[in-house]
Amino acid sequence: MYNEQIEAAKEKFGQLLEKQLKRVEAMKAQGDFVDYKALEKIVIGVCGGDGIGPAITAQAQRVLEYLLQKDVKSGKVEFKVIDGLTIERRAAEMAAIPEEVLAELKICDVILKGPTTTPRKGDPWPNVESANVSMRKELDLFANVRPVRIPELGIDWTFYRENTEGGYAAGKEGVHVTEDLGIDFTVVTSQGCDRIIRAAFEFAKNNGKTKVTAVTKANIIKTTDGKFLDAFYRIAKEYEGIQADDWYIDIMTAKLVDEKRRRDFQVLVLPNLYGDILTDEAAEFQGGVGTAGSANIGKKYAMFEAIHGSAPRMVLEGRDKYADPCSVIRAGAMLLAHIGYSAEADKLYQALDICTVTEKKLVLTGRDTGCTGEEFANYIMETIEKL
Ligand code: IPM
Ligand code: MG
């Protein structure tokens, strides 16, 4: 029974295996992380994306250009604006990332990206893959680093979310075997586990952290999460003085709201989907996903973005100029630190704290009852000037 359907599904599975094994070979051949100091010029791509993206990203660019003005003038840093990563263009070309846009992204060393629309069932858009997910795969941005800091609550977490594997690796390659049976795939590789886990421990080591926590569901998802957890404890042995423990995702979700326990967590490393979910929960304590920046780091490229959506309704209502640019500006601070401008990054973090927490001379409300993104960016630059 169902012979034909089973054969068709097997063929698709075979193709998936071939593709993933190719990826393993590519990972094996990969060199080390780029050394930005050794580059003659650093090209920063600014990719506005969709919806409110272009408006808020333009403000982040102004702030970065201000902080890097000396090196922009000398030619050491160049900004490159990349248009065209819009849902209209992606739908017209039926591509997650239009080819020309991808070619431009690949000229850059680092990218600051605004939000992009991911079509979902019921939208007027065709079902193109998420631009985010595609960019992470195309540029092999395997480490999604998401810090959440709330000093007054004693919270200082850094999430290292694996960004290219798990349920996302073959998210669009699931198979409807028959009308009644659907199968999705989740993918894990030794190379993929090792590089994200090592990145988390290296961060801990270089930043005075004393503990790294793995989060899985290895009691149930035995093969893939099991492999991740084995790799975790194997690599942990190389890092003397850093404590390693692990939790299952369900209880970890609960522990993040446990005021007595949550301060104990420092660096967390986790497979893709758990990382997706847990980082939204974590960001909520800090004031919501709108406040969080996110770094997507690979060995050759790195991309920094806001983790919220593109808010197309704000654009329809003509309110994009009132959209809060702080998430992308925060992503910009992460970008600065990543390419070696840590003094500039620190200033920007400080100014963001002053402008959004302690002083709050201007307030953004998302409409004309508050200031515009441009006014807020000016406020941030004036604050930096006074530091
Ligand atoms: C994120 C987002 C993306 C993800 C979406 C937009 C595809 O939720 O960056 O966390 O699922 O990774
Ligand atoms: Mg998410």
Side-chain angles (χ1 to χ4, degrees), residues 2 77 82 105 135 155 162 173 189 229 264 323 350 353:
Y2 297 122
V77 171
I82 300 170
L105 290 169
M135 200 181 296
I155 290 174
E162 203 294 320
E173 286 151 272
T189 66
L229 199 53
D264 298 343
Q350 246 184 316
D353 264 357

Side-chain angles (χ1 to χ4, degrees), residues 143 159 183 254 276 338 340:
F159 293 89
I183 307 259
D276 177 45
H338 183 73

Side-chain angles (χ1 to χ4, degrees), residues 67-334:
L67 279 162
L68 298 174
Q69 50 193 295
K70 212 175 84 227
D71 285 4
V72 172
K73 219 176 259 161
S74 76
K76 163 86 192 162
V77 171
E78 185 190 314
F79 283 85
K80 181 176 166 56
V81 175
I82 300 170
D83 295 321
L85 196 62
T86 59
I87 186 64
E88 291 81 6
R89 172 106 176 256
R90 291 162 56 215
E93 297 191 19
M94 275 310 285
I97 302 178
E99 229 169 274
E100 258 174 58
V101 175
L102 186 61
E104 283 191 273
L105 290 169
K106 286 187 173 171
I107 297 171
C108 305
D109 298 295
V110 284
I111 296 150
L112 185 67
K113 187 180 102 13
T116 49
T117 302
T118 303
R120 65 178 96 189
K121 258 197 156 40
D123 276 0
W125 305 110
N127 192 19
V128 290
E129 192 189 11
S130 144
N132 279 26
V133 173
S134 172
M135 200 181 296
R136 292 166 186 168
K137 284 187 201 164
E138 290 284 354
L139 305 181
D140 202 18
L141 308 172
F142 63 86
N144 188 187
V145 187
R146 296 182 163 181
V148 171
R149 268 181 219 112
I150 314 160
E152 60 277 23
L153 297 181
I155 290 174
D156 185 358
W157 299 322
T158 308
F159 293 89
Y160 271 74
R161 164 190 178 190
E162 203 294 320
N163 216 14
T164 51
E165 304 200 330
Y168 283 66
K172 63 174 197 303
E173 286 151 272
V175 183
H176 290 288
V177 181
T178 68
E179 232 176 70
D180 300 318
L181 177 65
I183 307 259
D184 266 317
F185 301 100
T186 182
V187 176
V188 75
T189 66
S190 306
Q191 290 71 21
C193 291
D194 282 25
R195 61 186 188 175
I196 185 71
I197 293 165
R198 219 172 270 290
F201 276 99
E202 282 295 311
F203 170 81
K205 187 174 99 184
N206 296 329
N207 291 278
K209 308 285 181 196
T210 54
K211 182 161 135 170
V212 180
T213 301
V215 184
T216 70
K217 189 72 188 178
N219 50 340
I220 304 298
I221 316 291
K222 291 186 192 296
T223 304
T224 47
D225 281 4
K227 193 173 177 64
F228 190 94
L229 199 53
D230 287 347
F232 176 74
Y233 282 114
R234 175 169 41 77
I235 290 168
K237 286 197 202 119
E238 295 172 27
Y239 292 85
E240 250 181 67
I242 298 180
Q243 197 194 333
D245 68 351
D246 79 278
W247 294 71
Y248 295 136
I249 180 66
D250 49 352
I251 188 67
M252 177 52 97
T253 317
K255 285 297 143 194
L256 284 198
V257 273
D258 178 343
E259 286 172 18
K260 285 196 284 300
R261 301 300 299 276
R262 65 182 178 194
R263 295 191 190 126
D264 298 343
F265 302 117
Q266 300 179 21
V267 182
L268 299 98
V269 63
L270 57 184
N272 210 337
L273 186 58
Y274 308 139
D276 177 45
I277 297 165
L278 207 65
T279 54
D280 269 14
E281 186 196 5
E284 194 64 25
F285 297 120
Q286 185 182 266
V289 291
T291 62
S294 159
N296 297 268
I297 295 169
K299 296 207 165 162
K300 186 161 192 270
Y301 298 103
M303 181 266 280
F304 300 80
E305 61 179 342
I307 72 172
H308 56 73
S310 56
R313 193 163 2 117
M314 285 189 79
V315 183
L316 281 178
E317 293 170 7
R319 293 191 283 120
D320 45 339
K321 66 176 186 212
Y322 297 107
D324 186 347
C326 289
S327 55
V328 197
I329 294 177
R330 196 169 288 279
M334 298 176 92

Side-chain angles (χ1 to χ4, degrees), residues 3-14:
N3 270 347
E4 214 173 290
Q5 287 98 323
I6 293 174
E7 284 313 311
K10 276 188 190 166
E11 193 179 327
K12 283 199 187 159
F13 186 50

